[in-house]
Every structure is written in structure tokens, then in C-alpha cells.
Amino acid sequence: MTSSKENSKKTKILICIGCVFLIFMAFFHGSGIFYITDLIQQSNTESFLKEIIPVLFAHPSIHLLGLAVLWIVTLYMGRDAIKTMFTFAVLVCIDALIAFYLGAIIPGILLLVPATSFVFGGIQKKVQ
């Protein structure tokens, strides 16, 4: 059997891996905002869409960064973090499913990595 200290270390490592992937995905997605903004401005779509599309495009990046920050907070929550961990894992899985639905296979896989690490981190924390 592993000790509680080893499980705690595994949990922290898994959460850090997941957070790194979420932050990477947020910056990767956010890097396309200028491309999308230029593309929509050059199109012949309505002015309302020209104003709203860049903002809507930035939202997933902010969402992923927010989830990463909240995951870092769970490192300091103690045993009460288990419900939060599984809830966040479900949210990231939903993001991955949306990515797969939109045909973004690589981002979907990259989102499944943190979701899986969060689930295993929650299991490790539950064992403690």
C-alpha cells in the first residue's frame, strides 16, 4: 500500500499536469484571435457579427484558464476538494466532446489528457 504522503504527491503531480495542458490549450486557442478577427473583418457578414465573433472566440481561452486556476486552488482545499475535482473533470470532458463534435480531434485529445489526470488525481485524493 502507498502512504498518504505518496498519494498526496501523486495528486499534486496529476493536477499540475492537467493544469499545464489547460493553460497550453488556452494560449493555443487564444493565439488565433487575431487571425479570426482579421478574417471576420474581411468578410461580408453583418457588422454585429464582426463585433461579437472575436469576443466569442476569446471565451473558450478564458474558460480554460479559469479552470486551470480553479484546479490549482483545489490543491489547497484538502479532502473537500474531491467533489470539485470530479466536477471540473466533467466540465473538461464536455469541452473535449465539443471539440470532437466540431471536428477538432487533436484539441479534443489534448483536453482529454487533463480530464483524465483530474479524475485520477481525485481518485488518489479519495484514497488518502
Side-chain angles (χ1 to χ4, degrees), residues 68-125:
V69 168
L70 290 173
W71 267 102
I72 292 169
V73 170
T74 62
L75 287 172
Y76 305 101
M77 289 178 68
R79 287 191 61 86
D80 296 333
I82 294 170
K83 292 177 186 172
T84 307
M85 292 174 136
F86 289 123
T87 303
F88 289 158
V90 168
L91 289 174
V92 176
C93 279
I94 291 170
D95 288 341
L97 290 174
I98 291 170
F100 286 130
Y101 175 75
L102 294 173
I105 304 297
I106 293 173
I109 292 170
L110 288 175
L111 284 169
L112 284 178
V113 171
T116 305
S117 70
F118 295 153
V119 167
F120 286 131
I123 291 170
Q124 288 291 326
K125 192 146 189 99

Side-chain angles (χ1 to χ4, degrees), residues 20-92:
V20 166
F21 269 87
L22 286 179
I23 291 168
F24 172 75
M25 285 298 299
F27 284 112
F28 177 73
H29 189 271
S31 69
I33 193 164
F34 298 113
Y35 173 74
I36 294 296
T37 302
D38 290 340
L39 196 62
I40 197 74
Q41 292 301 327
Q42 294 172 4
S43 70
N44 61 353
T45 189
E46 296 182 31
S47 62
F48 171 74
L49 289 176
K50 289 182 179 184
E51 292 177 24
I52 198 73
I53 294 294
V55 175
L56 290 175
F57 187 82
H59 181 265
S61 299
I62 296 166
H63 170 75
L64 293 172
L65 279 176
L67 285 175
V69 168
L70 290 173
W71 267 102
I72 292 169
V73 170
T74 62
L75 287 172
Y76 305 101
M77 289 178 68
R79 287 191 61 86
D80 296 333
I82 294 170
K83 292 177 186 172
T84 307
M85 292 174 136
F86 289 123
T87 303
F88 289 158
V90 168
L91 289 174
V92 176

